[in-house]
Amino acid sequence: MQLTLQSCEVRSYRTADAESLARHANNRKIWLNLRDAFPHPYKSKDAREFIRSARHRTPETTFAIAVGGEAVGSVGFVLRHDVERVSAEIGYWLAESFWGRGIATEVLIAATDYAIATHTLTRVYALPFAWNAASCRVLEKAGYVLEGQLRRSAIKNGVITDQMQYAFIVPEPPSLSVDDPLPPGNPG
Ligand SMILES: CC(C)(COP(=O)(O)OP(=O)(O)OC[C@H]1O[C@@H](n2cnc3c(N)ncnc32)[C@H](O)[C@@H]1OP(=O)(O)O)[C@@H](O)C(=O)NCCC(=O)NCCS
């Protein structure tokens, strides 16, 4: 998979991404805003294992954010199952040296479109911690709406915190009723 955007590429992971991924991921400011499954410190071995698992998973749902060919972040989604199989949770992080240039917003818009189109979803959601104003702003800029505040729903770094529930909802297609007038020029 490869999406060429203005500021970066979103593409399938390559084995050779491990060194740059580990270097950029090894950042406490990034770890503080992600789930505990994201290691800290982040070692080359963690990057190699993560990339191996991302490359072997079917369907492919986790991708590198690349600038100038170098992996500088990650975006991925988790497809929900059973009655929630029309939903997915999205997550992302970007190397600190690239913050503030609109990259995450562009990536989120493209990755949301990709997830919806590829998996026929009606909803993609994210759960940033309440203190993560940058991520909330990125979600808003990408067209996500705040649905609620999940009070005291998570613990990170020993601190109980709220999570903000943001969702991008695919609008229902307009249903044509028998009473709808025929479009002009259509003889019926
Ligand atoms: C969140 C993150 C992906 C944002 O990446 P980015 O490429 O810098 O995002 P963008 O440049 O597209 O947009 C950032 C927006 O947040 C705003 N922002 C940044 N820090 C902020 C703060 N402390 N308070 C309020 N807004 C803030 C920026 O001003 C910008 O909004 P603007 O365009 O209206 O000015 C990046 O900071 C990151 O990787 N953080 C750590 C991991 C993380 O939080 N992942 C998301 C988990 S839900």
Side-chain angles (χ1 to χ4, degrees):
M1 182 275 221
Q2 174 153 346
L3 305 172
T4 303
L5 311 179
Q6 280 189 332
S7 61
C8 64
E9 279 182 347
V10 174
R11 58 152 173 83
S12 301
Y13 271 107
R14 300 170 188 159
T15 308
D17 290 329
E19 186 275 327
S20 64
L21 194 75
R23 184 160 33 86
H24 292 300
N26 189 30
N27 181 335
R28 194 174 154 79
K29 290 186 203 163
I30 292 176
W31 170 81
L32 258 181
N33 286 297
L34 299 179
R35 297 193 170 200
D36 285 345
F38 188 86
H40 188 75
Y42 199 111
K43 309 225 170 82
S44 296
K45 180 171 169 283
D46 298 314
R48 286 197 301 274
E49 279 170 11
F50 177 75
I51 290 170
R52 192 178 312 122
S53 133
R55 282 165 58 86
H56 285 95
R57 205 172 301 133
T58 309
E60 187 185 23
T61 53
T62 307
F63 306 99
I65 303 170
V67 174
E70 188 185 356
V72 298
S74 196
V75 60
F77 51 89
V78 179
L79 296 165
R80 294 292 169 217
H81 299 292
D82 203 285
V83 294
E84 285 164 2
R85 61 190 176 273
V86 290
S87 293
E89 180 181 350
I90 199 159
Y92 44 87
W93 66 267
L94 184 70
E96 187 175 1
S97 45
F98 292 90
W99 289 0
R101 303 186 197 177
I103 296 177
T105 304
E106 204 190 2
V107 165
L108 183 59
I109 290 169
T112 302
D113 278 358
Y114 173 85
I116 289 168
T118 312
H119 299 285
T120 330
L121 305 177
T122 54
R123 167 191 175 83
V124 181
Y125 67 95
L127 292 169
F129 298 133
W131 61 62
N132 193 349
S135 186
C136 292
R137 178 76 189 122
V138 166
L139 287 156
E140 281 160 15
K141 288 196 293 178
Y144 283 63
V145 291
L146 179 63
E147 294 185 316
Q149 182 158 352
L150 310 185
R151 304 269 318 272
R152 295 169 56 81
S153 56
I155 180 165
K156 184 70 191 186
N157 195 30
V159 179
I160 298 284
T161 180
D162 297 357
Q163 292 174 285
M164 310 303 278
Q165 180 168 302
Y166 279 89
F168 185 96
I169 313 290
V170 177
E172 258 184 82
S175 60
L176 276 182
S177 129
V178 286
D179 298 330
D180 286 342
L182 287 168
N186 187 332

